[in-house]
Amino acid sequence: MTVRRVLCLLPLLLVAVVAAQHRSVLADGFRHLATAQWPWLLAAAGATCLTWVAAACTRQGAVVERLPGVRLLATQFAAGAANHLLPTGLGASAVNLRFMTVCGLPLARSSAALALYLLAESVARVALLGVLLLVFPDALRLGALLPEGVLGSVLVIGAVVLVVAAGVLGLVRRVRSAVVSFLRTALGEARSVHARPARAVALWGGSLAFPALQATGLVLVGRALGLQVPAAHVAVAYLAATVAVALVPTPGGIGSVEAALVVALVAAGGPAAVATAVVLAYRIVTVWLPMLPGALTLGALVRLKVI
């Protein structure tokens, strides 16, 4: 069996392992789906599908060259599955990096485009959360998302990491040269992209649409299960929870996202039992149902040498 065939089968094996590890969550989630109002669930599934379109727009906006549209969209679907099987961000980043290099972009520029995408998506998510909090200041208590003392620990760890990174850059010439070269390439790529209005619109429009569609999906699942919380407050809860769990490198946020979302929805005014049901159903619709076809797509893309 060739290495490529092994790589085709590996995503399916990982899906089976992850599903076995979370079988109780899956069982609870499907049980809640059985009691939901299906029109709202179908709308949530539609919003989930649109997130892959938004991701494709953002990926295209991060590079000057035109990427093949159908393959780009398929790659985003496959990257979603990969992202739930590896520590947060690594799966999707690896798939997209490989896709861009296969499309002919040099590794340095592909890495710069990947960094630009991650920066734009992070800035857009935090900006959207900030705007909603300004408009709806009473949507939830942000302090409820983090246990007491965690914020201080995170700040201390962050400060230590920055000091160590600065020390390495200052003392190790090779590392400093590599970082400077990467930053130069990344800034050049960012200038080239923003010099083209169509690319800039795709980059920032997709970056804003992606978290907005994710939040919309949670709102729709909440409606399906009778969650009596205003839609704007649910959106704030979702964005705040996902920003909070970005610091926790679990595969696809599995486990940490569920916990943070339940806490956020309760902080937004939802009953704990209903909030738990909504989160489990939401993760079934957005993570578990697309995971198997996404893994199959990933294997097919590997076999066809698209990635």
Side-chain angles (χ1 to χ4, degrees), residues 238-282:
Y238 174 81
L239 293 169
T242 52
V243 169
V245 300
L247 301 173
V248 184
T250 59
I254 292 175
S256 57
V257 169
E258 285 88 343
L261 280 176
V262 170
V263 173
L265 289 177
V266 171
V274 180
T276 301
V278 168
V279 170
L280 291 176
Y282 173 73

Side-chain angles (χ1 to χ4, degrees), residues 35-44 215-235 265 274 277-279 281-282:
T35 64
Q37 299 179 40
W38 283 96
W40 290 111
L41 287 183
L42 291 175
T216 300
L218 183 61
V219 170
L220 293 170
V221 173
R223 290 290 180 271
L225 290 172
L227 179 66
Q228 299 300 314
V229 176
H233 292 198
V234 174
L265 289 177
V274 180
V278 168
V279 170
Y282 173 73

